[in-house]
């Protein structure tokens, strides 16, 4: 499948909706918790078992993005979105079969393994294309698309809950809900496949000043640079800090105020989770757009430095003030989302647009690591503290201190980022060949 080249007069503003149709669909992953209680009840699973499809999905997201990034660059966004559509929807259909036959391993295989491949390929599918369409505002462009991944749960969570209420929460009802998900998301993602285009010669006319190609580094060379691994640490630390709150948000706010005169109800805790999702989504577009104005290194100084301050305020005063706790948590989650949306533009600044999608895919292994590390730190320490007889906010003091330390490590790694040495650049003759190859679609 050759990349579809935009005809003359094609509006670049049609590309972000194409990306959004994919990211809003695969963003359903953040709503997996809706299916956990029904699955545990219908199939007799433990909480750990019911979390396995989601955990495997996040691991496969990072791995498929890392290993499939070069293929995405080579074959183009339409190919990538088609692969994402087939894998993500097939994952739901396999899960529907597993629920109907009460074979949980099929749900793990479908949603976690097959669907996780769709998550990874779908996540990186529009990144390099958006950066090439919006060289004047790369942070804003990727922020719009990646905002969809953070906001997908806002649609999927109530929709899934309503289906389970209508179809029933037994195995047949869960199977039917999975089936509807798979078919509906296939249709919605097909809009992105139909709309997406690459710019003619990959040099669109921007509304702002002309943007030159500048430094170009291949994915193979990028992973050999200290800049890549500094950004790997930056992303991993920022995601670990955010997911540490996100994964345990409802019980965390309940625990913090359990011993006060105004405990948090189940309904209020659910509302807190919704607020965090909104902050996650808003941060992806707001902070990434801000990075176009103040620079990528500066915005990560905010994410990591102010994020550490927010954790410190929660640790010291969070249990004495609900507004303070909620405000700090919302800021941290906005930085969590903003970090995801800004990293492609940071990569573009350092390595150029040549294989930025493939480089981004390799960097997302940091997400897979953080997806395990963040929940492990918070949950394991909370369990140990509870066994020791502690309760309330004291369950989280040590884990929050660790998060502050991790954010400081990320801050230092960001300070170490420097321009890429010229020995890693594409040699001039090869650069000319790359540019010539980019012009071929215009004459096709």
């Amino acid at each position: 499948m050759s990349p579809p080249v935009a005809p003359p007069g094609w509006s670049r503003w049609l590309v972000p909706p194409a990306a959004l149709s994919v990211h809003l669909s695969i963003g359903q992953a953040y709503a997996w918790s809706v299916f956990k209680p029904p699955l545990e009840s219908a199939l007799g699973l433990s909480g750990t078992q019911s979390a396995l499809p989601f955990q495997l999905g996040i691991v496969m997201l990072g791995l498929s993005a890392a290993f499939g990034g070069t293929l995405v660059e080579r074959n183009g966004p339409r190919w990538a979105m088609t692969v994402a559509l087939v894998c993500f929807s097939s994952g739901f259909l396999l899960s529907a079969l597993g629920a109907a036959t009460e074979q949980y391993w099929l749900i793990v295989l479908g949603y976690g393994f097959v669907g996780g491949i769709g998550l990874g390929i779908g996540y990186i599918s529009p990144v390099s294309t958006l950066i090439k369409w919006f060289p004047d505002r790369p942070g804003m462009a990727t922020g719009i698309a990646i905002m969809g991944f953070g906001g997908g749960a806002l649609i999927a969570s109530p929709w899934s809950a309503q289906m389970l209420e209508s179809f029933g929460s037994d195995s047949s009802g869960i199977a039917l809900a999975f089936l509807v998900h798979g078919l509906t998301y296939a249709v919605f993602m097909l809009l992105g496949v139909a709309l997406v285009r690459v710019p003619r010669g990959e040099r669109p006319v921007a509304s702002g000043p002309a943007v030159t190609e500048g430094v170009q580094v291949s994915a193979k060379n990028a992973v050999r640079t200290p800049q890549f691994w500094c950004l790997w640490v930056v992303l991993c630390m920022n995601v670990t800090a955010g997911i540490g709150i996100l994964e345990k948000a409802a019980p965390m706010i309940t625990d913090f105020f359990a011993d006060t005169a105004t405990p948090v109800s189940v309904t209020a805790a659910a509302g807190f989770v919704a607020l965090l999702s909104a902050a996650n989504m808003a941060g992806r577009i707001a902070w990434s757009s801000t990075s176009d104005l103040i620079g990528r290194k500066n915005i990560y100084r905010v994410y990591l430095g102010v994020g550490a301050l927010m954790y410190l305020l929660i640790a010291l005063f969070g249990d004495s003030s609900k507004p303070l706790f909620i405000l700090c948590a919302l800021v941290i989650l906005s930085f969590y989302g903003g970090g995801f949306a800004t990293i492609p533009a940071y990569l573009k600044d350092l390595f150029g647009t040549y294989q930025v999608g493939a480089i981004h895919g390799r960097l997302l292994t940091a997400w897979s690591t953080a997806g395990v590390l963040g929940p492990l730190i918070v949950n394991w320490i909370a369990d140990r503290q509870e066994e020791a007889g502690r309760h309330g906010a004291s369950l989280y003091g040590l884990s929050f201190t660790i998060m502050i330390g991790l954010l400081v490590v990320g801050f230092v790694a960001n300070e170490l980022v420097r321009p890429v040495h010229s020995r890693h650049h594409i040699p001039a003759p090869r650069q000319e060949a790359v540019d010539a190859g980019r012009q071929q679609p215009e004459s096709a």
Side-chain angles (χ1 to χ4, degrees):
M1 183 181 292
S2 59
V5 180
W10 180 266
S11 173
R12 64 177 181 167
W13 291 102
L14 292 173
V15 181
L20 268 174
S21 72
V22 173
H23 274 238
L24 282 171
S25 299
I26 63 177
Q28 185 279 336
Y30 279 145
W32 173 253
S33 60
V34 174
F35 288 103
K36 281 171 59 69
L39 282 170
E40 291 167 15
S41 176
L43 303 181
L45 305 173
S46 67
T48 302
Q49 289 173 318
S50 67
L52 185 58
F54 171 78
Q55 290 175 315
L56 180 58
I58 295 300
V59 170
M60 291 307 301
L61 185 158
L63 294 177
S64 62
F67 290 105
T70 303
L71 290 174
V72 171
E73 287 291 309
R74 183 182 306 152
N75 297 317
R78 176 169 287 179
W79 175 88
M81 289 180 179
T82 302
V83 171
L85 183 160
V86 171
C87 291
F88 190 64
S89 295
S90 297
F92 270 113
L93 299 183
L94 277 173
S95 297
L97 178 62
T101 59
E102 299 188 0
Q103 297 294 316
Y104 185 59
W105 68 271
L106 271 175
I107 300 177
V108 176
L109 174 67
Y111 190 93
F113 185 80
V114 178
I117 294 173
L119 286 177
I121 299 299
Y123 190 87
I124 64 173
S125 62
V127 169
S128 64
T129 302
L130 283 165
I131 287 175
K132 290 164 186 172
W133 272 112
F134 292 86
D136 51 329
R137 286 179 281 181
M140 179 213 69
T142 55
I144 290 174
I146 293 175
M147 175 184 70
F149 193 85
L154 292 179
I155 299 171
S157 184
W159 181 45
S160 301
Q162 182 59 51
M163 275 196 285
L164 290 170
E165 184 177 335
S166 301
F167 301 151
S169 56
D170 58 358
S171 58
S172 61
I174 296 170
L176 189 54
F178 282 151
L179 177 63
V180 172
H181 274 75
L183 297 177
T184 303
Y185 283 133
V187 173
F188 195 59
M189 294 172 77
L190 194 59
L191 294 175
V193 173
L195 273 179
V196 73
R197 298 287 189 279
V198 297
R200 297 176 66 81
E202 298 187 355
R203 294 174 185 270
V205 178
S207 59
V211 181
T212 58
E213 288 289 340
V215 172
Q216 299 297 330
V217 182
S218 68
K220 182 179 179 181
N221 284 342
V223 297
R224 298 172 178 170
T225 65
Q227 288 84 353
F228 176 89
W229 293 106
C230 283
L231 289 189
W232 193 98
V233 172
V234 165
L235 183 63
C236 186
M237 299 302 100
N238 191 59
V239 174
T240 300
I243 212 168
I245 286 182
L246 185 62
E247 190 272 340
K248 203 175 175 64
M252 182 181 292
I253 193 171
T254 302
D255 289 337
F256 254 79
F257 299 99
D259 299 329
T260 68
T262 55
V264 175
S265 67
V266 174
T267 303
F272 174 63
V273 174
L275 279 176
L276 292 181
S277 296
N280 178 11
M281 180 176 67
R284 293 174 186 242
I285 181 63
W287 293 121
S288 60
S289 296
T290 303
S291 78
D292 289 332
L293 302 175
I294 69 173
R296 255 56 82 170
K297 177 174 276 194
N298 284 333
I299 201 68
Y300 273 95
R301 285 169 172 152
V302 173
Y303 296 158
L304 299 160
V306 178
L309 177 61
M310 295 297 102
Y311 258 115
L312 180 62
L313 289 175
I314 293 177
L316 294 177
F317 310 111
D319 59 342
S320 61
S321 172
K322 280 184 188 175
L324 177 67
F325 179 95
I326 294 170
L327 177 62
C328 291
L330 290 177
V331 172
I332 291 170
L333 262 293
S334 76
F335 292 162
Y336 169 81
F340 279 124
T342 311
I343 203 70
Y346 207 162
L347 292 171
K348 176 258 181 188
D349 293 347
L350 289 171
F351 303 110
T353 60
Y354 172 47
Q355 289 188 328
V356 68
I359 299 168
H360 183 223
R362 286 160 171 77
L363 195 77
L364 288 182
T365 54
W367 187 359
S368 295
T369 303
V372 174
L373 189 61
L376 180 64
I377 291 171
V378 174
N379 287 293
W380 187 84
I381 291 177
D383 289 344
R384 301 291 81 76
Q385 297 290 344
E386 191 170 8
E387 290 174 2
R390 294 184 175 88
H391 52 85
S394 61
L395 297 175
Y396 303 98
L398 178 57
S399 60
F400 283 8
T401 302
I402 292 173
M403 293 299 180
I404 293 169
L406 293 178
L407 286 169
V408 171
V409 170
F411 189 94
V412 172
N414 183 54
E415 293 302 306
L416 295 175
V417 174
R418 298 288 186 272
V420 177
H421 194 279
S422 59
R423 69 174 178 271
H424 298 292
H425 298 178
I426 297 175
R430 186 178 172 191
Q431 178 66 56
E432 292 173 5
V434 169
D435 291 341
R438 287 177 172 177
Q439 301 300 326
Q440 289 178 5
E442 287 196 76
S443 60

